[in-house]
Amino acid sequence: MESSKDIILSIQNLTMSYGEKNVLNGINLEVAKGQIIGYIGPNGAGKSTTVKIMLGLIDDYEGKIVIFGQDISNGDPSYKRKIGYVPENAEAYDNLTAMEYLVFTGELYGLDSKFAQQQAERLLTQFELEKVRHTRLSSFSKGMKQKVLIISSLLHDPDLLFWDEPLSGLDANSMMVIQEILSQLAAEGKTIFYSSHIMDLVEKISNRIVLLVVGKVVADGSFEELQEKSEEGSLSGIFNQLTGFTEHRQKAAQFVSIVRGDSGDA
Amino acid sequence: MREFKSLQFVALFKGLFKRMGVDYEVMMMILRIKLTMDERRVPTVFNEIGKKKEGNQFLKSLWIYGVYSLLLLPFLFIGDNYIFGMSIQFGIILFILMTSMISDFSSVLLDVRDKNVLQTKPIAKKTITVAKTVHILIYMSFVTGAFTALPFVVGIFRHGPVFSLIFLLEIILTMFLVVVLTSLLYLFVLRYFDGERLKDIINYVQIGLSVGLIIGYQVLIRAFEFTDISLSYTFHWWHFLIPPLWYGAPFEMILNGNTGSHMVAFTVLAVLVPILAIFIYSRLMPSFERNLEKLLSDTKARKPSRNLMDGLWSKLLCRSPEERVFFRFSALMMKKEREFKLKTFPNLAMALIFPLLFIFNELRIRSLADISEGNMFLFIYFCNILIPGTIVMLQFSGGYKGGWIFKAAPVVRETAAYSAAIKAFLVKLYFPIFLVVGIVFLGIFSARILPDLAVVLLSAILQSLIMYRILKDIDFPFTRSFEFAQNAGTAQVILMSFIIVVFVGLHFIARSFDYGIYIYLALLAATIFVLWRKTFPENRKFEYNKTAIDA
């Protein structure tokens, strides 16, 4: 492992199937320290599944995953200590208050409860949530809850972040803050692995973009590298091209004509 | 989408719905969707495949009501004194229906999730509320059917067709009464409170209702004087406040020809109150839906709640820091998880009341001094009845989707989660009740029963442990949806409730010779020690690694 000291995460030949259906078809990926990886792909490409496998939420996969030099299939959960995770759909124990939830998750990651409390309080204040910190999460809006989950993923100062759609539900201002937090964390040497459907954002903040289509990596490189390969100007253009989707205008026209009640194919 | 038999039955009342001003077609559509959804509820906590359960889980759990209904049968054979037998029967029926309504269908009634879907569409509010009510009524009639089918059939043979006809009519009336009364109660609460406070109040109303029903049942029994062997009934004005008596009266009036004015009055109440309630309900239901909105809003800043005791207990009872975290988490969940409280607190109340009640009942026959000489203190074993059901409930949470955190976090000893949850249950829920009953019993029976109380406490711990062991595929506590709580571990709960008898038996044997109780106490302690170690083993393999990363 000496030669690859900077490799934080490596995935070799990862496949996964739900019954008959193959969700992942041989993914290979090496991630070095300090990278911000935008993990993109159409709905159902297997993005969330990959992330869940790396976190140990799903364990009947095939292939090899090494994180922080440890094969995660050996059953030792200690590699998770330095990982922060934001799940998609803001799932949390809703009946706890923001503080209770944060202190609980902090402690799960081995933090001292006083310290977790302090950090949580300070971070909540930064997001202007200090007034509702003793209110149950169930009464939070999606954006507020998302902020709490983002804090909970950072409380233990992890080295590797998995953020699944971290910006969903956030307003434009909060998005900018999160975006800035991401790049500053990467500058500190943290590795960030996040998935999003907002292409402009991925284009702006990722220094590496991995595009997944039906469980396979079809593009992997910086935005500039992808641009060179595909002659498209924007990431959404590249995305359309690589996912083999070029007829959006035609699709839209058809759609609208059906809405308007035309019978023939437009 | 398939056609539901229950909907074909509902279709019989098409004319009635139309006359009520309900958009019949839309209502049926909503119901079809709801019933289809009920069938498709599948656990999705960790998206595990191969663990799926198909079909409507609720319908599959109905058999248990059939078993409960055996309780009703003896009352069909206690002579022709209908006012006694039938009042008790309807007391039990009301009790079972009300508890089922409160614990299983409150969530349907108070559901705000489909507000976005339904109320944004051009559908009259009335249609939505009636659809909701019919949805509940469909399930309630299943419960009622499962619970009264057996007594109904036996009733035909025992008392003839007229009896059965009255029985059937009254059953329908009680069912409506239960559904409508519960709704009206919520309506009243919803009017005056809002947000999280409201949810808490509803929660406590639900718990209070369940407890009230238990106590009410005792009051019902008091209405009869057990003089010698024959039962006599003497009317008092406050009997008008006991609904089961209303429903016992028609039998007495029609079958025994007892046309005393109070009997007629009871019968009128039995028929009139449900109809009146339905009328009020249909008038108020639209405002109910409006007020439901309040359940979503909560803007007040709150103060933190202090949990010093939890911290103390966790330090005292848990060795690893990991287990302490789980302990505090479990304690919090038990305090805050409303659905959990709703399903377990009524049991807690029963565990508290029953042992005292038995003593109280005994007081009518003997003097306190007389009781204090005997073995009546063994009734404290009734406290342990709450254990099996509560241990099962520990698996569930309304926020079960948050369960990913257990897998995502570096949890070294996964079994620590459950050992902590069980400890928290014993400390936070079981022990306070045991303490209250224990102190009262010490007052009655003097300090001589101290070793016996210690035995009971240890039995409780052992029973919790065994209960956990015989439950299948448990993962982490609080990570399953309550949708599956209906039939989870029912067989195990019944089995483990009966095991209390074994514990009482062992206790008796131990008391029968000198120092036996102390030997038994030591044996229990040793068994718990060994079994606990076996059930929640240490994960030594990775304990070392953990510290390596810290460094």
Side-chain angles (χ1 to χ4, degrees):
Chain A
M1 281 282 143
E2 290 88 350
S3 58
S4 56
K5 236 186 178 167
D6 277 359
I7 299 296
I8 280 198
L9 164 85
S10 106
I11 301 177
Q12 287 158 34
N13 252 325
L14 179 65
T15 60
M16 161 86 204
S17 54
Y18 288 120
E20 294 284 287
K21 198 178 152 237
N22 283 334
V23 189
L24 301 177
N25 296 305
I27 290 184
N28 288 291
L29 207 60
E30 295 231 306
V31 177
K33 195 179 171 195
Q35 286 186 331
I36 306 186
I37 296 164
Y39 197 49
I40 60 176
N43 295 328
K47 301 184 297 285
S48 294
T49 308
T50 325
V51 172
K52 281 182 182 162
I53 289 174
M54 289 192 283
L55 278 158
L57 267 66
I58 302 172
D59 46 20
D60 44 353
Y61 62 91
E62 270 165 57
K64 193 176 173 193
I65 300 177
V66 178
I67 297 178
F68 301 129
Q70 181 197 329
D71 185 337
I72 65 165
S73 65
N74 73 355
D76 178 359
S78 56
Y79 76 94
K80 296 176 188 172
R81 303 202 123 214
K82 287 292 168 190
I83 295 179
Y85 175 49
V86 175
E88 62 180 337
N89 302 331
E91 285 153 356
Y93 281 109
D94 280 356
N95 51 331
L96 299 183
T97 69
M99 279 306 284
E100 284 165 352
Y101 182 74
L102 288 173
V103 172
F104 164 61
T105 53
E107 284 184 303
L108 273 183
Y109 282 98
L111 296 186
D112 170 64
S113 113
K114 277 229 178 64
F115 177 74
Q117 198 166 337
Q118 235 171 52
Q119 288 293 88
E121 223 150 82
R122 287 169 65 191
L123 291 169
L124 281 171
T125 312
Q126 289 305 311
F127 280 146
E128 283 156 17
L129 290 174
E130 70 273 16
K131 282 215 182 72
V132 289
R133 66 186 191 277
H134 299 301
T135 308
R136 288 177 192 231
L137 291 178
S138 51
S139 65
F140 277 31
S141 71
K142 177 133 195 254
M144 285 156 79
K145 216 156 126 188
Q146 193 69 19
K147 286 178 185 170
V148 172
L149 282 163
I150 287 174
I151 293 174
S152 100
S153 79
L154 290 170
L155 218 49
H156 54 297
D157 193 20
D159 293 331
L160 176 58
L161 288 174
F162 290 113
W163 284 8
D164 207 344
E165 291 288 344
L167 303 175
S168 63
L170 295 182
D171 61 43
N173 294 341
S174 312
M175 266 198 216
M176 276 169 73
V177 176
I178 299 291
Q179 201 175 318
E180 196 50 38
I181 289 173
L182 276 177
S183 41
Q184 292 194 17
L185 282 172
E188 295 276 318
K190 313 266 183 216
T191 311
I192 297 152
F193 198 99
Y194 77 98
S195 66
S196 176
H197 289 298
I198 309 169
M199 289 301 134
D200 293 350
L201 185 100
V202 176
E203 183 182 320
K204 249 186 259 167
I205 61 172
S206 322
N207 48 32
R208 180 174 169 193
I209 294 166
V210 176
L211 174 57
L212 199 67
V213 179
V214 284
K216 257 193 145 65
V217 176
V218 298
D220 181 356
S222 68
F223 175 54
E224 290 74 24
E225 283 165 1
L226 296 191
Q227 239 175 346
E228 272 170 36
K229 272 190 213 155
S230 78
E231 298 137 30
E232 286 280 347
S234 70
L235 185 58
S236 18
I238 299 172
F239 186 90
N240 293 153
Q241 194 192 30
L242 290 175
T243 51
F245 186 80
T246 45
E247 68 274 17
H248 61 279
R249 209 171 282 273
Q250 202 189 335
K251 264 250 153 89
Q254 274 174 4
F255 192 92
V256 172
S257 85
I258 296 171
V259 170
R260 303 196 47 181
D262 297 348
S263 54
D265 23 0
Chain B
M1 217 174 293
R2 63 188 192 83
E3 268 311 315
F4 293 91
K5 290 241 164 54
S6 40
L7 287 189
Q8 285 166 8
F9 182 75
V10 174
L12 295 180
F13 301 96
K14 187 174 174 181
L16 180 74
F17 286 119
K18 289 210 158 156
R19 206 167 317 139
M20 281 166 72
V22 172
D23 189 336
Y24 173 77
E25 309 299 330
V26 174
M27 182 193 82
M28 289 304 261
M29 215 153 55
I30 297 174
L31 285 173
R32 209 167 293 130
I33 290 288
K34 294 256 171 186
L35 291 175
T36 311
M37 285 196 298
D38 294 339
E39 272 192 338
R40 292 197 190 146
R41 290 173 175 176
V42 166
T44 50
V45 193
F46 301 123
N47 290 322
E48 273 170 304
I49 36 167
K51 276 193 181 175
K52 285 186 184 168
K53 289 179 182 170
E54 289 296 325
N56 194 312
Q57 295 299 308
F58 175 75
L59 293 185
K60 287 184 182 166
S61 67
L62 276 179
W63 63 272
I64 194 74
Y65 287 101
V67 175
Y68 287 153
S69 73
L70 291 174
L71 271 178
L72 294 178
L73 294 182
F75 296 106
L76 286 169
F77 294 94
I78 46 170
D80 287 333
N81 194 335
Y82 291 108
I83 187 76
F84 175 68
M86 293 319 287
S87 294
I88 298 225
Q89 264 204 50
F90 273 87
I92 299 173
I93 291 170
L94 275 169
F95 171 71
I96 292 279
L97 292 188
M98 201 83 178
T99 5
S100 162
M101 175 75 198
I102 292 165
S103 61
D104 299 329
F105 300 111
S106 291
S107 52
V108 182
L109 200 61
L110 298 171
D111 191 359
V112 272
R113 281 172 306 178
D114 58 16
K115 233 177 147 62
N116 292 333
V117 180
L118 295 178
Q119 296 210 1
T120 51
K121 308 295 178 292
I123 312 170
K125 275 218 175 90
K126 196 175 210 170
T127 308
I128 298 176
T129 53
V130 172
K132 207 176 214 175
T133 315
V134 174
H135 185 204
I136 294 171
L137 277 173
I138 288 174
Y139 281 112
M140 283 306 283
S141 41
F142 280 126
V143 173
T144 317
F147 188 63
T148 55
L150 203 59
F152 179 71
V153 173
V154 175
I156 296 179
F157 289 111
R158 177 74 174 83
H159 297 292
V162 182
F163 172 90
S164 294
L165 195 68
I166 306 174
F167 190 74
L168 192 67
L169 278 175
E170 288 199 2
I171 288 294
I172 295 169
L173 285 172
T174 34
M175 188 177 84
F176 275 100
L177 186 70
V178 165
V179 173
V180 172
L181 268 191
T182 315
S183 313
L184 284 177
L185 190 70
Y186 287 153
L187 185 97
F188 179 76
V189 176
L190 272 166
R191 250 196 141 88
Y192 296 102
F193 304 95
D194 73 75
E196 296 290 317
R197 180 62 27 99
L198 172 70
K199 286 184 198 160
D200 277 332
I201 288 172
I202 291 177
N203 194 218
Y204 287 119
V205 165
Q206 290 169 334
I207 295 165
L209 256 181
S210 311
V211 176
L213 280 165
I214 301 164
I215 297 168
Y217 181 60
Q218 290 302 318
V219 177
L220 172 66
I221 300 258
R222 297 276 172 280
F224 301 97
E225 279 304 321
F226 292 83
T227 44
D228 302 327
I229 308 158
S230 71
L231 304 158
S232 64
Y233 171 76
T234 327
F235 173 76
H236 294 284
W237 67 268
W238 51 270
H239 289 174
F240 277 121
L241 301 175
I242 310 173
L245 280 176
W246 308 347
Y247 290 94
F251 293 97
E252 187 73 17
M253 191 180 82
I254 297 169
L255 294 172
N256 279 355
N258 181 347
T259 46
S261 57
H262 54 273
M263 285 297 167
V264 179
F266 281 149
T267 307
V268 170
L269 279 177
V271 179
L272 207 62
V273 171
I275 293 174
L276 206 67
I278 292 171
F279 182 73
I280 299 172
Y281 174 72
S282 66
R283 278 294 164 88
L284 294 178
M285 206 48 188
S287 77
F288 181 68
E289 288 292 322
R290 217 177 311 123
N291 285 328
L292 267 184
E293 191 76 38
K294 287 182 177 178
L295 284 173
L296 292 170
S297 62
D298 186 54
T299 43
K300 284 193 196 102
R302 300 203 187 285
K303 290 209 171 72
S305 44
R306 293 247 141 245
N307 298 311
L308 281 177
M309 284 306 285
D310 294 357
L312 211 67
W313 279 115
S314 74
K315 288 217 174 70
L316 212 66
L317 294 173
C318 307
R319 282 194 300 158
S320 73
E322 199 170 74
E323 201 183 0
R324 279 179 204 152
V325 178
F326 286 129
F327 181 93
R328 280 193 297 264
F329 169 68
S330 302
L332 261 182
M333 290 300 272
M334 283 172 203
K335 206 166 81 186
K336 298 225 158 180
E337 171 63 86
R338 295 193 183 96
E339 247 176 297
F340 177 84
K341 284 197 281 192
L342 182 55
K343 302 229 156 144
T344 52
F345 278 27
N347 287 339
L348 296 189
M350 271 200 256
L352 180 69
I353 294 166
F354 271 133
L356 303 177
L357 206 67
F358 281 115
I359 300 286
F360 187 70
N361 267 345
E362 198 68 12
L363 266 181
R364 291 154 36 119
I365 315 171
R366 307 195 271 161
S367 71
L368 195 62
D370 201 15
I371 293 171
S372 70
E373 298 293 309
N375 282 338
M376 286 280 290
F377 61 84
L378 285 177
F379 276 121
I380 198 171
Y381 270 103
F382 266 98
C383 288
N384 296 9
I385 265 184
L386 71 95
I387 293 171
T390 318
I391 297 275
V392 170
M393 282 304 152
L394 286 178
Q395 303 172 74
F396 304 102
S397 161
Y400 67 99
K401 280 186 176 160
W404 58 266
I405 188 72
F406 291 114
K407 295 255 176 175
V411 177
V412 176
R413 219 181 108 212
E414 298 199 347
T415 53
Y418 242 104
S419 70
I422 290 176
K423 282 175 186 170
F425 152 68
L426 287 168
V427 169
K428 301 286 293 184
L429 301 180
Y430 176 76
F431 192 63
I433 293 200
F434 177 80
L435 199 67
V436 172
V437 179
I439 287 172
V440 174
F441 275 29
L442 274 177
I444 300 172
F445 297 97
S446 83
R448 77 181 167 94
I449 63 163
L450 266 175
D452 298 279
L453 291 185
V455 164
V456 177
L457 190 60
L458 289 188
S459 315
I461 298 172
L462 187 59
Q463 199 191 355
S464 312
L465 204 54
I466 298 173
M467 184 63 205
Y468 168 75
R469 283 184 70 105
I470 63 171
L471 279 177
K472 287 186 195 77
D473 50 74
I474 296 195
D475 210 340
F476 281 101
F478 306 109
T479 51
R480 285 193 190 180
S481 163
F482 273 113
E483 285 169 6
F484 302 96
Q486 256 298 330
N487 62 342
T490 317
Q492 284 99 326
V493 170
I494 294 174
L495 180 74
M496 286 312 289
S497 303
F498 279 119
I499 228 167
I500 294 175
V501 181
V502 177
F503 278 118
V504 175
L506 288 173
H507 198 139
F508 256 114
I509 296 169
R511 281 183 61 85
S512 63
F513 50 91
D514 288 344
Y515 299 109
I517 197 80
Y518 295 101
I519 297 167
Y520 182 44
L521 196 63
L523 275 176
L524 273 177
T527 315
I528 291 169
F529 184 76
V530 173
L531 200 63
W532 195 283
R533 279 300 178 87
K534 244 185 101 180
T535 312
F536 304 110
E538 311 262 316
N539 187 351
R540 291 193 190 283
K541 198 172 143 203
F542 298 119
E543 217 81 50
Y544 175 71
N545 260 358
K546 184 178 144 197
T547 45
I549 277 196
D550 270 341

